[in-house]
Amino acid sequence: MAEAVAEPANAPAAVRHAEEVMGTVFSFDVRGGEPRAVRAALREAVAELHRADAVFSTYREDSQVSRLARGELTVEECDPEVAEVLALGAEAEGASDGWFSLRYRGELDPTGIVKGWAAERAARRIGAAGVSGVSVNGGGDVQLLGAPEPQRPWRVGVSDPLRPGGLAAVVSSAGAAELAVATSGTAERGAHIVDPGTGRSAVTDLVAVTVVAPRLTWADCWATAAFAMGSRQGLAWLESLPDVEALLITAGDEVRCTAGLAARLG
Amino acid sequence: MHALKKRSPLRRVVLASAATVSGLVMLLSLKPHTQPEIAAAPAPAASSGAGSSAGTGGSSSGGSSAGGSSSGSSSGGSASGTRTVTGETVQTRWGPVQVRVTLKGRRITDVTAVSYPSDNPRDQEISSYAIPQLRRETLAAQSARIDSVSGASYTSDGYKQSLQSALDSARL
């Protein structure tokens, strides 16, 4: 009864999947490739997400990260991914002057980087299986590889925080072999947004920051950091980063963007 | 001040009005009893219960409503590829609502309410305002031909109300 959907004649086959993991839902859209290889890669990517959740979750008392935070494990005793993510997080802390942080109230808490990192890794895992296009959306943060159809780029709607169900913009992957779109906002779950200068919750005039960059790991961190900075500092800082474009929406419903964003809108 | 010059205000893509009917987007979390995997390639058997997460309606979905029309009827088909899918009854703040979505291929071409609360004094609101709004938003998103949606992180529950969920439901 699986009704075959009419695709354009030259369109590669699509495999789609939605998986509940890490307290959210990951949506997969994979185009092209040999079907069995695609399904195997998808299964492996999904299994890796669940493993990452078990290792990194701060909601699980017995996760490696929880035990690491309590001093029951050393980094060396954890899975190698823990050291990898902590190194990436430290890099993000440095690049953002501490506006992105691996700590919350003094405790180790890599929540802010894990989901983006895991979604990017999932996309690359599937991308390595010989497909022509991959889209992985991890709870609102998207990693794109390739294209859905030969003459059509991926198109990602940026949800409008002040008009539920509406879109503030559409980002196109045209001309980019890989592109990520990450959004941080007032509805942000998990990322603890703290002003590194005061140690308190950041006071921001923003309701959402969307960052467009090649890699979701960084796009996610930069969106979190810029959101905490506020529109003025956040925009200036994002503008200074290479290969990064961004869209910022203030509580006053003003939309600001980096100079090069227009080239990424579709 | 040089940096300020770069701050060009982006003209907002006008796709939806300011109305707040976010809860209604969940109506698109359709759960057709026919298997939802309609993509050209077979759906992955990646994990049990995974595929269903995309199509699961609100937790309050009462299953069969009066008339039994919630049995996820998927009709139409034929060469044109047009079909209709009737969603589960979903509790809204106005009361139980059920919608029917018409798809041509994977594109939603229409959204109508099959049933909505008639004993509720606010039924006028949902019939004359909320449903048209839902329809408009859905069709706007469709016409934008988007593959995915980026927004502030949603929880598993929040996903059901998200535009991404609606997209997944329409295509899975």
Side-chain angles (χ1 to χ4, degrees), chain B residues 31-150:
Chain B
K31 191 178 189 180
H33 287 196
T34 49
Q35 281 300 304
E37 291 83 4
I38 53 173
S47 79
S48 59
S52 65
S53 65
T56 304
S59 56
S60 57
S61 55
S64 58
S65 70
S69 55
S70 75
S71 55
S73 52
S74 199
S75 65
S78 83
S80 71
T82 299
R83 67 207 172 91
T84 60
V85 180
T86 305
E88 287 189 10
T89 301
V90 177
Q91 290 299 328
T92 72
R93 59 187 155 117
W94 297 282
V97 175
Q98 187 178 27
V99 295
R100 176 178 294 145
V101 174
T102 306
L103 299 108
K104 186 162 192 174
R106 287 200 311 269
R107 288 172 68 80
I108 295 175
T109 55
D110 200 8
V111 182
T112 55
V114 177
S115 63
Y116 45 81
S118 56
D119 55 347
N120 184 324
R122 302 184 73 180
D123 65 337
Q124 277 302 321
E125 185 173 1
I126 198 162
S127 58
S128 68
Y129 162 71
I131 291 293
Q133 187 60 32
L134 167 69
R135 185 172 181 277
R136 175 179 166 194
E137 291 182 1
T138 305
L139 300 181
Q142 292 280 309
S143 63
R145 282 211 68 175
I146 54 174
D147 299 290
S148 196
V149 182
S150 176

Side-chain angles (χ1 to χ4, degrees), chain A residues 13 31 42 54 56 70 82 89 106 115 152 169 173 213 233 253:
Chain A
R31 307 298 178 100
L42 183 56
F56 287 98
R70 291 197 300 269
V82 173
K115 186 163 61 84
R152 186 173 83 80
S173 74
Q233 188 183 346
D253 203 13

Side-chain angles (χ1 to χ4, degrees), chain A residues 150-182:
Chain A
Q151 299 301 323
R152 186 173 83 80
W154 292 110
R155 288 163 56 82
V156 178
V158 175
S159 86
D160 187 333
L162 300 176
R163 291 165 187 78
L167 301 178
V170 176
V171 173
S172 161
S173 74
E178 55 182 72
L179 196 69
V181 185

Side-chain angles (χ1 to χ4, degrees), chain A residues 26 60 139 172:
Chain A
F26 278 65
R60 300 185 187 201
S172 161

Side-chain angles (χ1 to χ4, degrees), chain A residues 7 18 29 34 45 65 98 115 123 127 149 158 189-190 218 231 235 237 241 245 249:
Chain A
E7 302 265 3
D29 187 344
E34 196 277 310
V65 160
K115 186 163 61 84
E149 291 166 29
V158 175
R189 181 194 64 89
W218 299 132
S231 64
L235 183 61
W237 176 65
L241 299 174
E245 302 301 339
I249 300 178

Side-chain angles (χ1 to χ4, degrees), chain A residues 235-247:
Chain A
L235 183 61
W237 176 65
L238 289 167
E239 194 74 86
S240 75
L241 299 174
D243 290 330
V244 171
E245 302 301 339
L247 175 87

